[in-house]
Amino acid sequence: DQQVKQNSPSLSVQEGRISILNCDYTNSMFDYFLWYKKYPAEGPTFLISISSIKDKNEDGRFTVFLNKSAKHLSLHIVPSQPGDSAVYFCAASARYAGNNRKLIWGLGTSLAVNP
Amino acid sequence: ETGVTQTPRHLVMGMTNKKSLKCEQHLGHNAMYWYKQSAKKPLELMFVYNFKEQTENNSVPSRFSPECPNSSHLFLHLHTLQPEDSALYLCASSQRDRTNYNEQFFGPGTRLTVL
């Protein structure tokens, strides 16, 4: 059973428009959420994160929104640029066994930004 | 070298071969991870090393054998693999402390093909 779900395998947007990538989770123990971006032939790179005590975190063109009651988060990219074309992974972090933490990953959404 | 490096980038091996994947992190982190990324599946955590000690083994078959000689280096020794083990193997590192939410830094991965 997938605890972190990215239901859209792909998304295509026009350059300059907003890209919205969605992520749903099932485990209420998750208290920190991260977005990673992955280009072909490279490992994922950290993009932006949000703690469960917040509902919004912004970093330049990237904003993550968290709706805890709906167990839903979204990544907004505005304006979208062709260089943003990549696979975006949502990951959720939970504490277990004392001070240990585990990241649970979604399947990813492939974003294509068209010029 | 900066960040997390992995060698080789590509590996083709037969089922009777023995090979090793190497990972090195230049970030001064104290935790290192091996992940497996197969098509249509989320990133699967295989092993976690915290201060050179293995703290997690996610029911990985014994044909995968990790080794962490120091906090900067991580190996994955492979022997008698199966074709279904073909995947992208990613190494990551992080700084684990009481306030860290497990933001991980990834290497570029090794694309493994088992014939």
Side-chain angles (χ1 to χ4, degrees):
Chain A
D1 181 37
Q2 260 188 278
Q3 297 185 59
V4 177
K5 299 178 185 177
Q6 292 178 258
N7 292 318
S8 298
S10 62
L11 176 68
S12 181
V13 300
Q14 208 63 30
E15 181 179 5
R17 300 290 186 103
I18 185 171
S19 295
I20 300 176
L21 297 103
N22 293 305
C23 180
D24 297 291
Y25 63 96
T26 58
N27 189 343
S28 56
M29 296 301 292
F30 291 140
D31 61 357
Y32 200 73
F33 304 88
L34 305 91
W35 283 95
Y36 281 78
K37 174 179 172 180
K38 184 180 184 300
Y39 292 118
E42 295 183 14
T45 55
F46 171 73
L47 189 59
I48 192 169
S49 61
I50 188 166
S51 165
S52 60
I53 62 173
K54 295 188 175 181
D55 54 18
K56 177 182 174 181
N57 188 26
E58 192 172 348
D59 183 2
R61 296 184 298 114
F62 302 92
T63 304
V64 56
F65 295 92
L66 176 63
N67 182 335
K68 280 181 64 179
S69 60
K71 292 193 176 68
H72 176 83
L73 63 154
S74 60
L75 174 68
H76 292 213
I77 307 173
V78 55
S80 302
Q81 299 173 354
D84 296 328
S85 299
V87 177
Y88 289 78
F89 291 97
C90 173
S93 176
R95 196 183 295 277
Y96 72 102
N99 198 34
N100 291 309
R101 280 194 165 270
K102 181 179 286 190
L103 274 183
I104 306 298
W105 297 78
L107 283 171
T109 296
S110 179
L111 173 67
V113 180
N114 306 307
Chain B
E1 292 278 19
T2 58
V4 181
T5 58
Q6 288 185 246
T7 54
R9 295 293 306 275
H10 300 272
L11 178 62
V12 179
M13 59 187 288
M15 289 191 284
T16 58
N17 290 157
K18 285 186 181 181
K19 296 286 184 184
S20 296
L21 309 185
K22 179 184 175 182
C23 175
E24 184 173 359
Q25 60 98 359
H26 309 267
L27 300 167
H29 290 161
N30 57 17
M32 295 186 78
Y33 311 79
W34 278 118
Y35 282 92
K36 176 182 178 183
Q37 186 177 30
S38 305
K40 312 281 187 205
K41 288 186 177 181
L43 275 172
E44 300 173 58
L45 180 64
M46 300 174 73
F47 300 104
V48 180
Y49 275 83
N50 197 6
F51 292 103
K52 301 187 299 177
E53 292 190 12
Q54 188 181 124
T55 56
E56 190 156 345
N57 174 342
N58 276 338
S59 304
V60 181
S62 59
R63 57 186 184 270
F64 295 91
S65 174
E67 179 191 358
C68 188
N70 55 61
S71 58
S72 299
H73 293 85
L74 186 64
F75 295 89
L76 188 63
H77 304 298
L78 317 170
H79 63 99
T80 59
L81 294 193
Q82 305 297 313
E84 60 263 30
D85 296 322
S86 299
L88 180 69
Y89 288 84
L90 290 160
C91 173
S93 71
S94 73
Q95 184 63 26
R96 281 188 140 181
D97 57 42
R98 295 187 71 82
T99 61
N100 180 266
Y101 289 96
N102 212 9
E103 177 188 323
Q104 296 175 13
F105 294 79
F106 285 82
T110 295
R111 174 66 63 187
L112 174 67
T113 303
V114 182
L115 301 176

